[in-house]
Amino acid sequence: MDWGRLAYVKAEELETLWKKTARAAEKRTSACASFYPRAAAEAGYAPCAVEGKGNVGLSVWVRVSAPQGASGIKLWLYLGDKAAAYTAITLPEGGEGSYTLFASVYPSAREKLRLCADREGLIIEEMRVLAEGGDAALTAGQEGYRCDCLHNEIYMAREQNGTLYLQKYGNEQKTDVCHASVFDMLADDNGIAVLCSDDDGNLWGVKYAPDLTERCRVRLGDGFSCVAIGRNPTGYTLAAVKDRAVRLARCADDFSGLTAWEAADFSTEADEVYFCKQTLCPLLFLRRDGQLFAKLPMGELGGKETLRVAISLQTE
């Protein structure tokens, strides 16, 4: 037997295996983020989504307080609708504590990471997330904006780390609307209207006075991945996306008198929807597979005509 030849072949095999292992290791990434919500734990707090290929390891450090004390309250960590870990918390009145939860998960489609307590009593003061694994990433720390004008003032709905705020541009005063990342808003002579879907998927219509005083809050449905609000001659026209299908409804300008959500009478699927602002004609824009379409407002969004448009934003 040619032992030299055999040793050479085995060395080649080991080198090939080492290269494969090295390439696999190179694809393992880590991501981290910190949040400071001061949120009631029983309502749930979902500030970010987790992405990754295959197994992802999670380490979640959380600092909580218990203004009235806590006895054996379970704080659960969820990924999507799946429970990943929990810890039981007991604290004296006014006490604080820090806890770490570990989990091994298989995320899919940017599933949201959520903390939720099984009953009242805990306040989430701080949350730190570390994800490590194949192409691991956290969709967090990003900001989304919607804005409109009223009486020469610019009002802005801003999502930051999972919390939706409403404020005047150039003014540090802001109002906490709810924990949400799906939202839209508009301003008209009767105030500012915010349409938002909370962490549990409930869709809310919230109306504010120009000084940001809340006037009303009405539940309008659930389960929508994108929403939009536009004006019509008698109130608001609402659009929402559910399983890529566009659904429409109408209501008064205080969100009362909501009509049934009905499938749009045009067959176009959409990933996102937007309404043109500052107009009584609810011109609807739809984004699908990276392309933008405009739905002409014939018969209050009736008919099947759509117009494909290309829009670019240029700043100076």
Side-chain angles (χ1 to χ4, degrees), residues 238-280:
L238 312 179
V241 177
K242 197 171 200 176
D243 298 326
R244 297 198 83 193
V246 179
R247 300 182 183 274
L248 301 170
R250 298 180 65 178
C251 63
D253 61 13
D254 61 356
F255 293 106
S256 63
L258 178 71
T259 63
W261 286 96
E262 297 181 353
D265 57 1
F266 50 92
S267 58
T268 304
E269 292 184 335
D271 299 309
E272 298 176 86
V273 287
Y274 314 87
F275 275 115
C276 183
K277 307 299 182 184
Q278 297 293 318
T279 176
L280 290 178

Side-chain angles (χ1 to χ4, degrees), residues 229-244:
I229 181 171
R231 297 171 64 192
N232 65 50
T234 60
Y236 299 144
T237 299
L238 312 179
V241 177
K242 197 171 200 176
D243 298 326
R244 297 198 83 193

Side-chain angles (χ1 to χ4, degrees), residues 124 127 155 176 202 256 305:
I124 302 172
M127 178 180 177
Y155 289 85
D176 185 342
N202 298 304
S256 63
E305 293 79 358

